[in-house]
Amino acid sequence: MKNMFDSLRQIVLDVNDATGLEQALNIVVKRTREVMSVDAVSVYFRDKKTDQLVLMASDGLNQQAIGNIRFEQGQGLVGQVLDRAEPLNINDAHVHPNYRFVTETGEISLHGFLGVPIIQHRHVLGVLVVRRREKRLFSAVAETFLVTLAAQLAGAISYAEKMGELNSLIEGGNNHSFNMKGLSGSPGVAIGEAMVVFPPASLDAVPDNTISEDEIGEQIDAFNEAVNNVEREYRALSQRMEGAISNEELALFDVFALMLKSDSLIDVTIDRIKAGQWAQGALRETIAEHVRQFDAMEDAYLRERAIDIKDLGRRILTHLQAQQTNRQEITGPVVLVGEEVTVSQFAEVPLQYLVAIISSKGSSLSHVAILSHALGIPSVMGLDSLPVNRIKGQQIVVDGYSGKIFVKPSPAVLDEFHRLIREEQVLNTELKELIDKPSETLDGIHIPLHVNTGLLSDITPSLQSGAEGVGLYRTEIPFLMRDGFPGEEEQAQIYKQVLQGFAPRPVTFRTLDIGGDKALPYFPVVEDNPFLGWRGIRIMLDHPEIFLTQIRAILKVNIYQNNLRLMLPMISDVGEVDEAIGLIKKAHKELTDEGIDIPYPVIGLMIEVPSAVYQMEAFARRVEFFSVGSNDLTQYLLAVDRNNKQVAELYNCLHPSVLHSIQHIVEVAKKHDKPVSVCGEMAGDPGSALMLVGMGVDSLSMSVGSLLRVKLAIRSFTQTQIEQLCSTALAMESAGEIRLLFNEALENAGLGGLVRAGK
Ligand code: PEP
Ligand code: MG
């Protein structure tokens, strides 16, 4: 039995390598028959058009029957497995009342029957059946094995199915377009050519190769040229990003360039070539040696550098192997495709050509999704069965609203999306006209709209969008771009530019919020449950030296228009507020004693932990404003990890419990005359933004790309209409109903274009 389970993983891996459904299912039946020592194994697959189960593959049954045996739902034993979505174990199938005898399969001598459903995301894809001559029930172990196998096969089978569909489409075998649904990353529609990004070449795969004396010179030249190319690449990348990211973020590229030119990399590799190893092998050895040294270091920050060295090595290798590579020319709109698209891959496409991003991993709160939001281009994440390596150069339609993509679209699909894109363009032009118009309801109630930022490069676009201030400055971003905690002066320089840039508009600085999924490379925090662990204010109170440095840096630049507001993240207890305020007072006193005459700051709290919701009274007596961090509040209230694709369907900021919590926050704050803002992604979604306004939230803060869309929504209703929608929503019992209510309200007001493709 042990062997049976040992084979399980290998079967799944083999199926994963299949290039189409037929091949995948043939592997399943053949390997299962071998492993379970049974007389026949078959797979019935659900035909999407007829909803019947079709015999698709078998080992042991008559091969002529394949494709010809069909069962309706509930019909025969196989139909019963589909119907009940449960295993069925029978000692003698022939005497079972539901048995439907079919002659074509040649199963007359087979009595024992064990059928299990193949289920993915609650949907039965097919049925896996094993048969044997003996009239005997299958053992509990056999049943467990088959259930375990089927559960793991579902993903691999649907991947193979997608791959097969795509192959036949690319080879011109059929003419209906291939489509898939993932998770909406950011809104918008686009059409472009797929550019696939991979992690660079694999160094470990480079073989040894001894060279002769007279090849040495040529190999050294090849190596030097590859190094120079990589250096040029870094320079070009950094130039391309200029203007899109700030100078400090750009400095990262210089660090790479320095590492590249170090003697320990160049000379050592050349020595190895001189000793008779070809350039690729010599490089592999040098990089491996460096990585071993870094891996062995005590210091976690230095250990992290091993990753950079590996990346550098792979880049040089890519150039060494360049003769065999065919780089994709960019001549028109590009859809960037990857298993996981990273920020540096983002930089490889000139921004004017980049129209959309799709990725097989990630969710709507992933870094790429947030970045695409800021750039105002659609993205679709979590396309987990996407055959990434097969779609290079294909035309792709991306609908960021519904999370759908169409590969090699049919003329009809293409026409439809061209029309939608034209409508989107009209909508975007109309939105631009709102920049200088006030954010107010039809009856003149003003709802200030602020931006969320953390990059210096965001200042100009934020101001140009008509934002009335910064509702959330994520101070951790400058900390992420460095090799160590930045000092007081260094921080002050950054904060000064933001405060000055936005003055007289208010700027809300959130104190360092690291931990959770935001780890600093030089301050690693390893925990089993990072989101329930050492995060935000908890780390700051344990490290007052880091907190005080930041507070001093922030306070001392508030010398222009007194437009600073200070906000504390991840507060879950009154004690934390008192301690943090104590430290802020200390920093203020120190600066005053040093002769720096600055005002005492306006202090507020993020309400993003459920326990904070119910301490609002105590907080309202201590601070001046509140901002709801709906991203975390939703994650903690619903117990749904905001980055986990598996449970992404459950993550919903319109869940009644989230709305009732926010309503409570607003009520208590109003009673104490303290303003409340919302700065999670929820505030940037037009329907949810109306809900928040209806509940009495005073201002909203969002990524710059959402600002005008939300403004249009607010300007299209009266306060009374919004409040009516809100009270209807608060009486509803599910997020789905509430979403529908707001979608309909926007659609009826002629604003359907804010929540779906088109105008
Ligand atoms: C939030 O939790 O809603 C929030 C704005 O903070 P962050 O997404 O940075 O955790
Ligand atoms: Mg948060």
Side-chain angles (χ1 to χ4, degrees):
M1 256 341 132
K2 182 177 175 295
N3 287 345
M4 200 155 89
F5 282 92
D6 283 347
S7 318
L8 208 140
R9 202 179 118 73
Q10 194 53 47
I11 300 179
V12 177
L13 288 177
D14 291 347
V15 175
N16 254 322
D17 285 341
T19 53
L21 183 61
E22 200 182 320
Q23 195 190 9
L25 300 183
N26 280 327
I27 297 172
V28 172
V29 291
K30 188 165 171 300
R31 302 279 286 111
T32 309
R33 188 173 172 197
E34 281 163 15
V35 172
M36 291 187 76
S37 314
V38 288
D39 297 307
V41 178
S42 350
V43 180
Y44 293 80
F45 213 66
R46 205 168 183 159
D47 178 340
K48 288 191 192 104
K49 286 199 203 81
T50 61
D51 213 28
Q52 291 168 322
L53 280 171
V54 188
L55 177 65
M56 292 285 284
S58 177
D59 195 88
L61 294 190
N62 193 344
Q63 294 298 298
Q64 265 88 51
I66 290 169
N68 296 320
I69 306 294
R70 287 174 174 263
F71 288 101
E72 298 290 342
Q73 188 144 357
Q75 190 186 26
L77 297 179
V78 177
Q80 192 177 336
V81 176
L82 169 73
D83 214 20
R84 303 185 349 171
E86 276 179 331
L88 188 61
N89 189 354
I90 294 170
N91 58 355
D92 187 359
H94 296 232
V95 300
H96 192 280
N98 256 4
Y99 182 64
R100 199 193 77 176
F101 180 65
V102 275
T103 44
E104 300 92 318
T105 54
E107 60 184 73
I108 183 95
S109 59
L110 303 175
H111 294 276
F113 175 104
L114 173 61
V116 298
I118 304 171
I119 302 182
Q120 192 189 29
H121 301 315
R122 304 178 183 197
H123 181 74
V124 185
L125 302 178
V127 176
L128 176 60
V129 180
V130 298
R131 305 291 304 268
R132 65 175 170 201
R133 290 200 169 78
E134 285 168 87
K135 290 182 188 169
R136 194 156 59 83
L137 280 179
F138 282 89
S139 68
V141 179
E143 196 174 317
T144 305
F145 172 78
L146 208 62
V147 168
T148 315
L149 179 67
Q152 292 189 29
L153 278 177
I157 289 178
S158 64
Y159 179 80
E161 187 187 16
K162 286 289 171 200
M163 177 89 113
E165 276 179 36
L166 192 62
N167 283 342
S168 71
L169 181 67
I170 292 170
E171 284 148 20
N174 65 42
N175 56 4
H176 27 260
S177 82
F178 166 91
N179 57 53
M180 274 185 82
K181 190 163 171 355
L183 302 166
S184 163
S186 63
V189 258
I191 303 173
E193 189 179 298
M195 177 170 153
V196 179
V197 284
F198 286 103
S202 165
L203 266 173
D204 294 337
V206 170
D208 277 339
N209 195 1
T210 315
I211 51 172
S212 64
E213 192 79 39
D214 47 17
E215 286 172 293
I216 291 177
E218 164 195 314
Q219 288 292 314
I220 292 179
D221 289 348
F223 174 67
N224 281 330
E225 196 188 319
V227 170
N228 290 337
N229 280 334
V230 174
E231 199 191 3
R232 263 198 295 279
E233 207 171 86
Y234 277 131
R235 223 177 297 131
L237 275 179
S238 116
Q239 267 165 15
R240 213 176 282 159
M241 292 306 273
E242 229 165 332
I245 61 175
S246 76
N247 287 342
E248 335 175 28
E249 295 134 23
L250 276 176
L252 215 62
F253 290 102
D254 294 338
V255 177
F256 283 125
L258 269 179
M259 268 184 346
L260 181 67
K261 283 293 189 182
S262 69
D263 291 349
S264 59
L265 195 110
I266 308 276
D267 295 356
V268 173
T269 307
I270 290 180
D271 285 347
R272 287 205 164 94
I273 299 175
K274 284 182 182 156
Q277 179 63 276
W278 70 317
Q280 293 189 30
L283 174 72
R284 184 202 64 210
E285 277 310 296
T286 309
I287 298 293
E289 193 178 48
H290 276 70
V291 169
R292 272 196 301 275
Q293 280 168 7
F294 278 112
D295 272 343
M297 286 179 183
E298 288 283 346
D299 184 299
Y301 169 59
L302 289 174
R303 269 203 313 271
E304 280 287 310
R305 298 278 74 75
I307 295 171
D308 296 340
I309 292 280
K310 275 187 211 159
D311 183 56
L312 207 67
R314 283 193 215 105
R315 280 183 180 270
I316 303 174
L317 181 69
T318 309
H319 282 280
L320 276 174
Q321 296 173 334
Q323 288 89 327
Q324 294 104 43
T325 63
N326 48 343
R327 256 190 166 279
Q328 203 171 328
E329 283 256 348
I330 298 175
T331 50
V334 165
V335 174
L336 201 60
V337 186
E339 268 190 25
E340 225 166 347
V341 179
T342 64
V343 179
S344 80
Q345 285 164 341
F346 220 94
E348 304 212 357
V349 187
L351 287 180
Q352 73 268 29
Y353 289 118
L354 186 62
V355 294
I357 298 168
I358 60 176
S359 108
S360 55
K361 299 213 171 106
S363 74
S364 62
L365 291 169
S366 307
H367 265 129
V368 230
I370 290 179
L371 213 57
S372 59
H373 227 122
L375 289 173
I377 58 170
S379 61
V380 175
M381 308 278 117
L383 288 156
D384 52 5
S385 305
L386 180 72
V388 169
N389 47 2
R390 289 291 293 150
I391 57 178
K392 177 182 162 201
Q394 294 298 322
Q395 190 177 39
I396 301 193
V397 169
V398 180
D399 178 351
Y401 293 95
S402 63
K404 274 199 183 145
I405 63 153
F406 302 80
V407 181
K408 212 175 170 189
S410 64
V413 169
L414 210 52
D415 280 355
E416 173 65 4
F417 275 91
H418 274 302
R419 182 182 67 77
L420 293 172
I421 289 174
R422 278 194 300 277
E423 288 186 9
E424 289 262 310
Q425 281 162 349
V426 175
L427 176 69
N428 283 333
T429 319
E430 284 174 16
L431 285 174
K432 290 223 171 71
E433 287 162 12
L434 298 181
I435 290 175
D436 298 320
K437 302 241 167 75
S439 166
E440 56 184 30
T441 57
L442 284 176
D443 46 351
I445 309 288
H446 177 213
I447 312 291
L449 301 185
H450 296 154
V451 282
N452 291 352
T453 174
L455 298 173
L456 286 175
S457 45
D458 261 6
I459 296 182
T460 319
S462 299
L463 287 169
Q464 283 168 352
S465 72
E468 294 179 50
V470 177
L472 168 64
Y473 181 86
R474 290 182 161 105
T475 57
E476 54 277 6
I477 297 187
F479 280 74
L480 282 167
M481 301 290 175
R482 284 193 171 55
D483 290 344
F485 285 106
E488 184 176 315
E489 252 333 289
E490 208 178 338
Q491 290 187 49
Q493 286 312 315
I494 302 172
Y495 304 147
K496 184 172 146 185
Q497 289 180 55
V498 187
L499 269 186
Q500 254 183 332
F502 277 92
R505 301 171 188 82
V507 176
T508 310
F509 281 102
R510 174 173 76 184
T511 62
L512 196 58
D513 183 17
I514 50 173
D517 61 341
K518 284 175 287 199
L520 296 177
Y522 48 89
F523 190 72
V525 177
V526 181
E527 294 174 307
D528 285 344
N529 285 306
F531 276 113
L532 300 181
W534 209 37
R535 255 198 94 179
I537 197 74
R538 300 171 183 178
I539 299 188
M540 290 301 97
L541 294 177
D542 288 348
H543 277 282
E545 78 288 11
I546 300 170
F547 189 62
L548 282 170
T549 306
Q550 180 176 44
I551 300 295
R552 283 177 55 102
I554 297 176
L555 295 190
K556 74 198 269 191
V557 293
N558 187 21
I559 46 174
Y560 306 97
Q561 310 245 4
N562 195 13
N563 58 335
L564 163 75
R565 290 147 53 96
L566 201 55
M567 182 158 79
L568 306 170
M570 275 300 288
I571 293 290
S572 60
D573 185 77
V574 172
E576 291 165 339
V577 181
D578 291 339
E579 275 185 71
I581 291 179
L583 289 168
I584 296 168
K585 282 192 175 140
K586 180 172 183 299
H588 183 256
K589 179 165 185 314
E590 280 171 13
L591 289 166
T592 323
D593 290 349
E594 287 163 28
I596 307 175
D597 184 21
I598 35 131
Y600 185 74
V602 177
I603 302 173
L605 304 182
M606 285 199 72
I607 303 298
E608 51 184 346
V609 178
S611 67
V613 177
Y614 299 101
Q615 294 172 87
M616 281 294 295
E617 290 279 349
F619 294 150
R621 287 191 283 273
R622 288 166 166 80
V623 297
E624 298 310 312
F625 69 93
F626 298 100
S627 188
V628 179
S630 57
N631 301 343
D632 277 316
L633 187 61
T634 307
Q635 131 163 304
Y636 292 128
L637 274 173
L638 306 185
V640 178
D641 177 344
R642 54 194 264 187
N643 294 314
N644 184 344
K645 201 204 148 254
Q646 201 66 22
V647 288
E649 295 280 339
L650 299 175
Y651 185 96
N652 200 323
C653 62
L654 287 178
H655 191 288
S657 71
V658 178
L659 300 183
H660 288 283
S661 298
I662 298 179
Q663 192 193 25
H664 174 77
I665 296 167
V666 174
E667 270 170 16
V668 182
K670 288 236 177 299
K671 188 172 119 193
H672 291 264
D673 230 1
K674 302 285 160 82
V676 183
S677 164
V678 174
C679 64
E681 293 300 305
M682 181 181 188
D685 167 67
S688 312
L690 290 178
M691 180 72 206
L692 295 171
V693 171
M695 287 196 285
V697 165
D698 300 285
S699 63
L700 301 169
S701 191
M702 63 204 71
S703 86
V704 61
S706 308
L707 202 122
L708 295 175
R709 292 171 166 262
V710 170
K711 196 190 266 191
L712 177 60
I714 290 175
R715 287 176 57 87
S716 306
F717 296 88
T718 62
Q719 180 72 11
T720 322
Q721 285 171 326
I722 298 175
E723 279 168 9
Q724 257 157 16
L725 277 170
C726 172
S727 63
T728 310
L730 284 172
M732 289 177 157
E733 295 178 348
S734 80
E737 269 181 289
I738 300 171
R739 173 60 73 196
L740 219 60
L741 174 77
F742 282 97
N743 281 357
E744 267 172 26
L746 289 166
E747 198 74 62
N748 292 340
L751 304 179
L754 294 180
V755 288
R756 52 148 175 83
K759 192 164 147 14

